[in-house]
């Protein structure tokens, strides 16, 4: 039997302009510049005014040209004809000292290989997005659900996590193999499964990584030997196999031939004695404005009753779009300055000295509460953003760390612990490397009470293998 029921519910709808604004927040300086150039080419109502530096440069060039307009000044030049003719064809000032080879980025190579897969053309964007999300070591940090949500949001095409996983399986089979694995454990398993799994050492190594990874990570060899009923020689053979596996898809030999891209910072932090001055690397909103001729055209057409309605709508829509775009850029820059100012104030000691030991624990929520914005806004405005400081260019994401309480009761950043662990391992006896339990004891002597499991976690984050493997490598 059919019946009609009346219900009331609240629903939050995100407008297309809000989505576009969030996309602008996510862009870095280089991507934003490209986005502005695209908007300038598509919207005739939007114009760009040259900055004062560019205007001065143009004026200088014009004056320089005027100096040679008179024939009497250059008609009797003493420069030999052969020298002038040579310079007309070859500009020696711009000739490089040695040839420059164009080295393609590994992501572009993966994208080219994807074009040969049996994949519909309208799904290429999915593979391109996943490849662009791979970090410099070849790992993919996000999970399938997060990636699917981000792809759906940016490409405006609904994507399921299962589609992401299926695409990742195909990407990992490309060269270099294993690109897109999420961890060292997953990448090592990927390599073992491509070997002859009938070999006893390969089978045992897979079992170790799948079911006893925590014990292997803690180098608890005696426990592993008892659980798997192995002899000392057998477990040594397995560990020797694991030690010769690659720990990242893009090894040093592969990544070293890649071009080193220059990083364009988004912020500039300058030490001015007692204060830290902060500025955007390039402020773009001040150079953008509405075309005066376009505004006059809109006014004239609105007063002309005989003008076609679609023409009026087109002119008004372009004007409205240009006004919104300028306001969006201004809003982006204002929020960026507020968030970065809050970060600099909170990490004042770090920006003054550049010493990682002075880095304080800081979460996205801490900055969001201080600036009075949503956490997602802070996340987008700090994602893939860099700051140029007196001690180098830093990634803002690295400043957000969890806190650990030391024996004195002070809350310190986990980056400090990671830095100490790296220093201790760097100075250890290569023939007798420290185990995680020994690292715990060393940290305790320095005033940091850390669990062995936490030490193992930080060691893995820095891609440092266990003591047994380090000993075999050396």
């Amino acid at each position: 039997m059919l019946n009609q029921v009346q219900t009331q519910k609240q629903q939050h709808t995100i407008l297309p302009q809000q989505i576009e604004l969030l996309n602008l927040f996510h862009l870095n300086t280089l991507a934003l510049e490209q986005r502005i150039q695209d908007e300038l080419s598509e919207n005739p109502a939007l114009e760009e005014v040259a900055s004062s530096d560019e205007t001065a440069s143009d004026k200088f060039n014009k004056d320089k040209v005027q100096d040679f307009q008179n024939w009497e000044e250059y008609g009797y030049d003493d420069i030999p004809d052969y020298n002038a003719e040579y310079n007309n064809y070859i500009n020696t000032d711009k000739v490089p000292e040695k040839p420059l080879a164009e080295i393609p980025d590994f992501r572009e190579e993966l994208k080219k290989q994807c074009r040969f897969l049996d994949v519909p053309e309208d799904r290429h964007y999915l593979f391109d997005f996943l490849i662009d999300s791979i970090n410099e070591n070849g790992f993919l940090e996000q999970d399938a659900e997060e990636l699917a949500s981000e792809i759906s949001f940016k490409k405006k095409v609904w994507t399921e996590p299962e589609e992401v996983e299926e695409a990742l399986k195909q990407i990992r089979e490309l060269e270099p193999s294993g690109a897109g694995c999420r961890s060292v454990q997953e990448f090592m398993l990927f390599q073992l499964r491509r070997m002859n799994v009938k070999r006893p050492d390969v089978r045992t190594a897979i079992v170790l990584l799948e079911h006893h990874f925590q014990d292997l990570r803690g180098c608890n060899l005696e426990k592993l030997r008892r659980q798997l009923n192995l002899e000392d020689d057998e477990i040594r053979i397995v560990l020797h196999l694991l030690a010769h596996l690659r720990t990242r898809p893009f090894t040093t030999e592969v990544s070293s031939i890649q071009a080193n891209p220059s990083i364009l910072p988004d912020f500039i932090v300058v030490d001015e004695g007692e204060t830290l001055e902060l500025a955007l690397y390039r402020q773009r909103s001040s150079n953008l404005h509405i075309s005066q001729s376009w505004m006059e055209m809109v006014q004239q057409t609105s007063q002309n009753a005989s003008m076609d309605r679609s023409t009026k709508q087109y002119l008004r829509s372009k004007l409205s779009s240009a006004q919104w775009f300028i306001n969006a850029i201004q809003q982006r820059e204002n929020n960026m300055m507020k968030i970065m100012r809050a970060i600099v104030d909170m990490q004042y000691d770090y920006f003054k000295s550049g010493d990682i030991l002075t880095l304080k624990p800081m979460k996205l929520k801490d900055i969001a509460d201080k600036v009075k914005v949503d956490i997602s806004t802070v996340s987008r405005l700090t994602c893939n953003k860099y700051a140029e400081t007196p001690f180098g260019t830093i990634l803002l994401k690295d400043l957000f760390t969890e806190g650990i309480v030391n024996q004195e009761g002070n809350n310190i950043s986990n980056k400090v612990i990671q830095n100490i662990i790296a220093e201790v391992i760097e100075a250890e006896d290569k023939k007798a490397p420290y185990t995680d339990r020994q690292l715990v004891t060393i940290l305790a002597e320095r005033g940091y009470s850390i669990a062995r499991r936490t030490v193992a976690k930080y060691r893995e984050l820095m891609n440092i293998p266990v003591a047994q493997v380090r000993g075999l490598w050396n």
Side-chain angles (χ1 to χ4, degrees):
M1 182 177 180
L2 298 177
N3 56 357
Q4 190 174 16
V5 180
Q6 185 177 4
T7 60
Q8 184 178 4
K9 65 178 181 179
Q10 290 183 340
Q11 185 175 1
H12 181 68
T13 304
I14 301 179
L15 299 177
Q17 287 186 340
Q18 292 175 315
I19 296 178
E20 190 66 24
L21 179 62
L22 293 176
N23 286 333
L24 285 176
F25 284 177
H26 191 270
L27 301 178
N28 56 20
T29 299
L30 199 60
L32 177 67
E33 187 64 31
Q34 183 61 47
R35 176 69 179 84
I36 291 175
Q37 294 305 320
D38 293 342
E39 190 70 21
L40 286 169
S41 62
E42 295 173 2
N43 193 343
L46 186 66
E47 290 183 348
E48 183 179 17
V49 180
S51 62
S52 57
D53 295 339
E54 293 174 353
T55 305
S57 176
D58 293 342
K59 183 177 183 300
F60 175 76
N61 292 334
K62 291 177 183 178
D63 293 341
K64 190 174 181 180
V65 172
Q66 292 295 329
D67 290 341
F68 297 95
Q69 291 299 317
N70 193 346
W71 169 260
E72 295 178 355
E73 294 186 12
Y74 67 88
Y76 300 98
D77 197 351
D78 293 334
I79 301 176
D81 292 340
Y82 66 85
N83 194 2
E85 183 178 355
Y86 177 80
N87 287 331
N88 285 338
Y89 287 96
I90 300 178
N91 188 352
T92 55
D93 294 336
K94 296 183 179 179
V95 175
E97 295 181 358
K98 53 186 177 180
L100 302 176
E102 182 181 358
I103 302 177
D105 182 63
F106 67 84
R107 297 182 183 87
E108 295 301 323
E109 292 297 321
L110 287 174
K111 291 177 184 178
K112 289 179 182 178
Q113 295 179 54
C114 284
R115 297 301 184 263
F116 294 97
L117 297 176
D118 187 15
V119 177
E121 189 174 349
D122 59 352
R123 303 297 291 173
H124 285 169
Y125 74 90
L126 175 61
F127 288 82
D128 292 347
F129 188 93
L130 294 175
I131 291 172
D132 288 333
S133 301
I134 297 175
N135 62 24
E136 295 300 324
N137 292 326
F139 291 112
L140 192 63
E141 299 176 351
Q142 302 99 317
D143 57 22
E145 292 186 0
E146 183 180 354
L147 286 167
S149 176
E150 194 169 351
I151 294 172
S152 303
F153 182 81
K154 287 189 174 181
K155 301 299 181 181
K156 300 179 178 62
V157 177
W158 183 255
T159 306
E160 295 289 346
E162 291 77 13
E163 299 178 64
V164 173
E165 288 293 349
E166 185 61 32
L168 284 175
K169 289 181 181 178
Q170 294 177 275
I171 292 175
R172 288 167 188 155
E173 295 296 331
L174 303 176
E175 290 297 332
S177 61
C181 290
R182 292 188 175 85
S183 63
V184 177
Q185 177 189 8
E186 184 177 350
F187 179 56
M188 294 176 77
L189 281 169
F190 175 82
Q191 296 174 77
L192 290 171
R193 292 191 177 111
R194 301 185 81 187
M195 299 179 182
N196 183 4
V197 293
K198 295 181 179 180
R199 283 170 43 185
D201 56 340
V202 175
R203 288 203 312 268
T204 306
I206 292 176
V207 173
L208 278 175
L209 289 176
E210 284 184 337
H211 305 290
H212 305 280
F213 185 65
Q214 294 295 333
D215 294 324
L216 181 64
R217 187 175 66 176
C219 207
N220 196 341
L221 301 183
E222 183 60 29
K223 181 179 179 181
L224 289 173
R225 192 184 64 81
R226 292 197 309 269
Q227 288 180 341
L228 300 177
N229 194 22
L230 297 174
E231 299 294 336
D232 290 340
D233 292 340
E234 292 176 325
I235 197 168
R236 180 170 292 276
I237 292 173
V238 173
L239 290 175
H240 188 269
L241 171 64
L242 293 175
H244 285 80
L245 294 176
R246 289 187 295 153
T247 57
R248 60 189 69 180
F250 298 116
T251 59
T252 306
E253 290 77 12
V254 175
S255 60
S256 61
I257 65 173
Q258 303 297 334
N260 185 18
S262 58
I263 296 175
L264 196 63
D266 302 270
F267 303 94
I268 299 177
V269 181
V270 181
D271 189 354
E272 295 289 350
E274 295 296 327
T275 61
L276 290 170
E277 296 296 331
L278 174 65
L280 290 171
Y281 181 80
R282 187 176 184 188
Q283 189 173 3
R284 300 296 282 113
S285 60
S286 58
N287 296 344
L288 300 175
H289 73 107
I290 305 297
S291 171
Q292 186 64 30
S293 60
W294 195 271
M295 293 182 65
E296 293 175 357
M297 208 186 318
V298 172
Q299 293 176 356
Q300 292 174 1
T301 54
S302 62
Q303 297 173 0
N304 189 353
S306 61
M307 182 65 68
D308 183 41
R309 183 177 179 182
S310 60
T311 303
K312 292 182 180 181
Q313 182 64 29
Y314 173 78
L315 294 174
R316 290 173 183 172
S317 65
K318 290 299 181 182
L319 178 61
S320 176
S321 177
Q323 290 172 339
W324 176 87
F325 188 77
I326 294 176
N327 292 332
I329 298 296
Q330 290 175 345
Q331 186 175 347
R332 176 184 182 273
E333 293 176 347
N334 292 336
N335 285 331
M336 285 178 67
M337 287 297 293
K338 290 179 182 178
I339 290 172
M340 190 61 195
R341 172 53 61 188
I343 293 175
V344 170
D345 291 343
M346 194 167 185
Q347 303 291 352
Y348 178 83
D349 294 336
Y350 172 72
F351 281 101
K352 288 289 290 185
S353 63
D355 186 2
I356 195 172
L357 298 179
T358 61
L359 192 65
K360 299 178 181 177
M362 183 175 66
K363 299 179 182 179
L364 293 174
K365 188 177 185 303
D366 299 332
I367 301 300
D369 293 341
K370 193 171 184 179
V371 184
K372 307 299 182 185
V373 296
D374 191 76
I375 295 180
S376 61
T377 302
V378 179
S379 176
R380 291 181 181 278
L381 287 176
T382 55
C383 180
N384 299 324
K385 305 294 192 303
Y386 290 84
E388 184 180 308
T389 68
F391 50 87
T393 303
I394 61 172
L395 180 64
L396 295 186
K397 180 183 177 182
D398 294 339
L399 300 179
F400 292 93
T401 59
E402 298 288 338
I404 296 176
V405 180
N406 61 6
Q407 294 178 355
E408 298 176 356
N410 298 324
N411 200 14
I412 61 174
S413 170
N414 58 13
K415 284 285 184 181
V416 176
I417 305 297
Q418 294 179 28
N419 187 63
I420 295 174
I421 293 174
E423 290 179 355
V424 171
I425 293 177
E426 181 68 24
E428 70 184 359
D429 183 3
K430 304 305 179 183
K431 296 181 179 179
Y434 294 123
T435 65
D436 290 342
R437 294 190 181 278
Q438 290 174 320
L439 291 174
V440 169
T441 304
I442 295 173
L443 289 172
E445 293 174 354
R446 299 192 181 190
Y448 305 106
S449 180
I450 309 296
R452 183 195 60 79
R453 190 173 300 174
T454 306
V455 171
K457 173 185 174 183
Y458 292 161
R459 179 176 49 72
E460 281 187 355
L461 288 174
M462 295 183 289
N463 291 321
I464 300 176
V466 295
Q468 186 73 15
V469 176
R470 298 201 305 273
L472 290 172
W473 279 354
N474 296 312

